[in-house]
C-alpha cells in the first residue's frame, strides 16, 4: 500500500499538474472514441500500451477478456458495452487478448481451477473457444497451444460481441468497427486479426477492411 500511496503523491505533483487543463475538461464529460476490452491480468496496461491519455479509452476488463453472448448472462459486461456503444457512441471496439493468459490456461486445464467455482462458471462463456481448440489444435502443446487458445478466444469473443443488440445495430449502420488484438507481453508486440488472410499479423502490417467487419475466417497459423 505504501508504494501506491507514494505513487498518488507523485501523480499529483508530476503528472496531474501538467495535464490539469485536460482533467478540468474531462470533469465536464467524456467522449472516448474506443472501447478497449482486455484481461484483468496485472501485466497489461491499455493506456501505456496505446500511449493514450485519460479520456481516450473506455476500458472493460475481466478474466480472459470474455464477452458473454446476448442472453447468456446479465452482468456488467453487457451493460458496459451497451453504455459505450449506445450512450457514448464509441466508433471502435478492440478485444485484446495476451500471451501467457491464466484464464486460457484454466480453460485448457479445468482441473487447475476446480477449487474456484466462480472462475469455473465464468470460463463457461468461453466454452466455444475450448471446443474449437480441442477439435482443431490437437497437434499443439505447451505455449503454442496457449497462444492458439488466446487467439481463438479473441475471435470467439468478437462473435459474441456481435450478438449484443446495441453492437449489432451499429454494425448494420456501418459506423462501428471491431478489432481483434493479441499482446505479447515478453516482446511488447501487438498482433491484429486480418480477415483477408485469416491470421493475426503484426500491427504494422494490419490493413483493416471496414467492409469485412462481420467476416470471420481462421487458418492454422499462430504467432
Amino acid at each position: 500500500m505504501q508504494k501506491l500511496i507514494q505513487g498518488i503523491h507523485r501523480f499529483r505533483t508530476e503528472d496531474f499538474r501538467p495535464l490539469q487543463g485536460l482533467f478540468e475538461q474531462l470533469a465536464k464529460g467524456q467522449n472516448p472514441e474506443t472501447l478497449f476490452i482486455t484481461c484483468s491480468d496485472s501485466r497489461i496496461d491499455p493506456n501505456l500500451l496505446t500511449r493514450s491519455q485519460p479520456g481516450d479509452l473506455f476500458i472493460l476488463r475481466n478474466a480472459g477478456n470474455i464477452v458473454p453472448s446476448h442472453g447468456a448472462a446479465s452482468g456488467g459486461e453487457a451493460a458496459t458495452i451497451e453504455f459505450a456503444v449506445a450512450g457514448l457512441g464509441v466508433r471502435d471496439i478492440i478485444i485484446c487478448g495476451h500471451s501467457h493468459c491464466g484464464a486460457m490456461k484454466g480453460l485448457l486445464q479445468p482441473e487447475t481451477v476446480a477449487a474456484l467455482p466462480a472462475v469455473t462458471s465464468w470460463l463457461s462463456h468461453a466454452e466455444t473457444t475450448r471446443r474449437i481448440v480441442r477439435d482443431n489444435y490437437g497437434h499443439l502443446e505447451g505455449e503454442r497451444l496457449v497462444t492458439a487458445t488466446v487467439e481463438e478466444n479473441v475471435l470467439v469473443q468478437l462473435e459474441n460481441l456481435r450478438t449484443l443488440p446495441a453492437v449489432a445495430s451499429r454494425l448494420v449502420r456501418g459506423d462501428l468497427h471491431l478489432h481483434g488484438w493479441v499482446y505479447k507481453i515478453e516482446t511488447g508486440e501487438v498482433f491484429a486479426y486480418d480477415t483477408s488472410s485469416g491470421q493475426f499479423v503484426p500491427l504494422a502490417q494490419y490493413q483493416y477492411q471496414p467492409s469485412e467487419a462481420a467476416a470471420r475466417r481462421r487458418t492454422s497459423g499462430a504467432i
Side-chain angles (χ1 to χ4, degrees):
M1 279 301 298
Q2 188 60 33
K3 181 180 179 180
L4 300 183
I5 293 171
Q6 290 174 347
I8 290 174
H9 289 313
R10 291 188 62 186
F11 163 73
R12 286 282 297 161
T13 58
E14 299 176 16
D15 301 310
F16 178 81
R17 288 177 183 172
L19 295 174
Q20 186 167 351
L22 171 62
F23 284 110
E24 289 175 351
Q25 189 65 33
L26 288 174
K28 301 174 183 177
Q30 61 173 323
N31 187 34
E33 296 185 354
T34 302
L35 168 61
F36 197 99
I37 302 173
T38 193
C39 188
S40 298
D41 194 295
S42 63
R43 296 168 290 184
I44 302 173
D45 185 332
N47 293 109
L48 180 64
L49 180 62
T50 60
R51 295 299 295 271
S52 52
Q53 290 191 321
D56 289 341
L57 299 179
F58 198 72
I59 299 173
L60 170 61
R61 305 185 68 155
N62 61 47
N65 41 270
I66 288 172
V67 177
S69 58
H70 179 58
S74 179
E77 283 70 30
T80 299
I81 295 166
E82 183 179 69
F83 181 70
V85 171
L88 297 175
V90 299
R91 294 196 285 266
D92 293 276
I93 302 178
I94 298 166
I95 296 184
C96 184
H98 67 94
S99 60
H100 313 292
C101 181
M104 293 303 98
K105 291 178 181 179
L107 189 68
L108 291 171
Q109 299 177 307
E111 67 277 6
T112 63
V113 294
L116 304 171
V119 173
T120 299
S121 176
W122 175 247
L123 291 178
S124 68
H125 296 297
E127 173 62 16
T128 299
T129 302
R130 190 189 69 80
R131 293 203 178 196
I132 288 173
V133 172
R134 182 195 67 185
D135 295 344
N136 296 277
Y137 292 90
H139 59 292
L140 298 181
E141 58 184 19
E143 285 302 324
R144 292 185 65 202
L145 180 60
V146 174
T147 296
T149 306
V150 168
E151 294 174 351
E152 285 294 343
N153 187 59
V154 167
L155 300 181
V156 167
Q157 303 313 321
L158 283 172
E159 292 178 352
N160 288 349
L161 187 61
R162 294 183 180 100
T163 71
L164 303 182
V167 173
S169 178
R170 288 280 305 280
L171 288 175
V172 169
R173 193 189 308 171
D175 60 356
L176 179 68
H177 307 298
L178 309 183
H179 313 268
W181 288 5
V182 172
Y183 168 52
K184 195 170 183 179
I185 293 172
E186 59 269 42
T187 65
E189 295 172 286
V190 174
F191 297 82
Y193 180 69
D194 175 61
T195 56
S196 61
S197 65
Q199 297 283 346
F200 280 87
V201 300
L203 198 57
Q205 302 175 18
Y206 179 46
Q207 298 292 328
Y208 178 67
Q209 302 294 330
S211 63
E212 299 177 353
R216 200 277 202 202
R217 186 163 65 88
R218 183 78 168 96
T219 59
S220 59
I223 292 173

